[in-house]
Amino acid sequence: MLDRSKEKIFIIVPAYNEEKTVKSVIKELCEMGYKVLLIDDGSQDKTYSLGKSMQNEYSDQILIYQHVINRGLGAALKTGMDAAAINGADFIVTFDADGQHDHKDIENICKPLITGEADVVIGKRNFKDMPITRNLGNYGMNIITMIFYGIYVNDSQSGLRGFTVSSTKLLKLHSRGYGVSSEIISEVKKNNLKLKEVPIKTIYTDYTISKGTNTTVALKILFKMIMDILKKV
């Protein structure tokens, strides 16, 4: 089933200063037969040039979009979702460029989308395997997401997610930073989309541990969410 659908599955890889890992990440995606949308979010290192070199090798599988300045994860995902829809995708998977995801998990993410079981799929990491600094930040964001948006998920900040293209057209995403992850959960609820969580593997290295949602990032997201709510009062 998945092999027949691969041409319609686009993998969005948002990347900001990921020269250490971006080449190996997108190479493996291409080797597995997926189409890749690399969103270079204003990187100041070799991320863009490395992506271009890979595009020369996999010209029919890689599309690259570049933000002139760093606009944040939310803006990069929005660019990717819009580009996927324009280029004929039926299904979208978001995949971090830092090497923390196992490419084999994409199949499990996509299956509920292809069968119609879900409109949105969240990859659920095992928090017991997570370093304590990341564990606290991510668990705290699950609680914050539930308080602010009234929906609890086991891994609200996961970077490995899947969407039907039709569902992404309903999402009103305004957050430009990491807050977009909680915003996606909120939009799933608002639009009564079918949500499913599936277990995924996380590859922890010194590099991947330094990325993502730690306690400091969680506090910054919380502050931004409070400010956004106050603006609406």
Side-chain angles (χ1 to χ4, degrees):
M1 180 189 300
L2 187 62
D3 287 341
R4 294 199 302 271
S5 302
K6 274 189 176 177
E7 287 191 356
K8 292 293 186 178
I9 299 172
F10 281 55
I11 314 295
I12 298 173
V13 182
Y16 174 63
N17 290 343
E18 298 284 10
E19 65 179 5
K20 292 182 180 178
T21 52
V22 68
K23 186 173 180 178
S24 60
V25 167
I26 61 178
K27 179 179 178 62
E28 191 160 353
L29 290 169
C30 290
E31 290 292 326
M32 295 179 74
Y34 295 109
K35 292 190 175 179
V36 177
L37 281 167
L38 175 63
I39 314 299
D40 173 36
D41 190 24
S43 296
Q44 298 171 335
D45 63 2
K46 297 179 181 177
T47 297
Y48 180 76
S49 60
L50 290 170
K52 291 296 289 184
S53 70
M54 295 304 297
Q55 190 180 40
N56 292 333
E57 187 172 347
Y58 299 95
S59 58
D60 59 341
Q61 287 181 259
I62 298 177
L63 293 171
I64 301 176
Y65 290 76
Q66 185 181 37
H67 292 167
V68 177
I69 60 172
N70 177 236
R71 296 174 58 196
L73 175 63
L77 292 180
K78 186 70 169 58
T79 296
M81 289 176 178
D82 291 344
I86 291 171
N87 286 282
D90 284 343
F91 309 102
I92 294 171
V93 173
T94 64
F95 199 94
D96 290 348
D98 60 7
Q100 71 169 275
H101 299 316
D102 187 336
H103 295 67
K104 296 176 183 174
D105 281 327
I106 294 174
E107 184 171 344
N108 291 331
I109 292 288
C110 289
K111 279 181 179 175
L113 303 173
I114 295 171
T115 61
E117 183 181 353
D119 302 305
V120 178
V121 177
I122 304 292
K124 180 177 61 177
R125 297 167 291 180
N126 186 344
F127 281 21
K128 292 180 181 178
D129 296 337
M130 194 175 286
I132 187 66
T133 54
R134 297 283 296 276
N135 185 310
L136 292 175
N138 282 280
Y139 183 73
M141 283 310 303
N142 289 349
I143 300 298
I144 290 168
T145 300
M146 181 182 69
I147 293 172
F148 277 78
Y149 299 130
I151 179 172
Y152 187 83
V153 295
N154 290 290
D155 193 356
S156 61
Q157 307 303 300
S158 175
L160 183 51
R161 318 173 189 84
F163 306 85
T164 60
V165 166
S166 57
S167 71
T168 63
K169 293 177 180 177
L170 299 173
L171 305 180
K172 307 297 183 188
L173 303 179
H174 303 291
S175 176
R176 292 187 175 184
Y178 282 109
V180 70
S181 298
S182 294
E183 192 174 36
I184 287 172
I185 304 301
S186 170
E187 287 296 305
V188 166
K189 181 182 180 183
K190 285 181 182 176
N191 290 286
N192 295 314
L193 297 173
K194 293 180 289 186
L195 175 66
K196 184 177 177 64
E197 293 183 87
V198 300
I200 60 169
K201 175 184 175 182
T202 304
I203 301 167
Y204 291 112
T205 64
D206 289 343
Y207 184 69
T208 60
I209 290 172
S210 69
K211 300 279 185 171
T213 307
N214 54 33
T215 305
T216 302
V217 172
L219 290 173
K220 289 180 179 178
I221 295 171
L222 173 60
F223 178 76
K224 180 66 167 54
M225 290 167 72
I226 293 173
M227 293 302 295
D228 288 344
I229 288 176
L230 291 176
K231 288 177 183 177
K232 297 176 182 177
V233 175

